[in-house]
Amino acid sequence: MLKDIIFSFVIGGVVGMIGHIRKHGKIIMPRKTKRFVYLGFFEEMLLGAIASLLLVVYISPNSYVEKMTISISAGIGGDLVLTGYKQFKQNDSD
């Protein structure tokens, strides 16, 4: 089970980082501003990894192909959730 957790966490994190690069065209490093700390690529990497981890633990697939497919789809889903949340906040402030 520990191998499944590590495998899904790594795959989800990689998918999150790829989504970050696709969205911004480069890797944005973490930085601290006056109001908050911006996590940069760690934000999307962690979201993809955690979404993947939760889904793999919940579904408990049998083969590595199923684990990889679920991890990739969860990582992409985590990226979409983050994008939707940012758009919601932007529309709410307008």
Side-chain angles (χ1 to χ4, degrees):
M1 185 68 179
L2 183 61
K3 289 181 185 179
D4 298 342
I5 291 171
I6 293 171
F7 183 75
S8 67
F9 196 80
V10 169
I11 295 295
V14 168
V15 171
M17 182 176 266
I18 290 171
H20 174 81
I21 294 171
R22 181 186 53 84
K23 190 184 313 179
H24 299 287
K26 60 181 179 178
I27 295 177
I28 299 175
M29 299 302 289
R31 65 180 185 273
K32 183 178 179 181
T33 62
K34 291 182 180 180
R35 294 187 179 181
F36 63 95
V37 175
Y38 178 67
L39 296 177
F41 72 94
F42 283 127
E43 179 180 5
E44 292 165 4
M45 191 170 151
L46 284 174
L47 188 66
I50 291 171
S52 172
L53 175 69
L54 290 175
L55 197 60
V56 166
V57 168
Y58 181 72
I59 293 177
S60 184
N62 296 326
S63 69
Y64 277 109
V65 174
E66 290 177 355
K67 291 172 194 162
M68 188 179 302
T69 305
I70 291 169
S71 296
I72 290 171
S73 63
I76 292 170
D79 183 44
L80 292 175
V81 167
L82 186 63
T83 304
Y85 178 71
K86 285 183 179 179
Q87 287 179 352
F88 177 74
K89 282 186 70 175
Q90 184 180 26
N91 290 339
D92 190 38
S93 65
D94 291 342

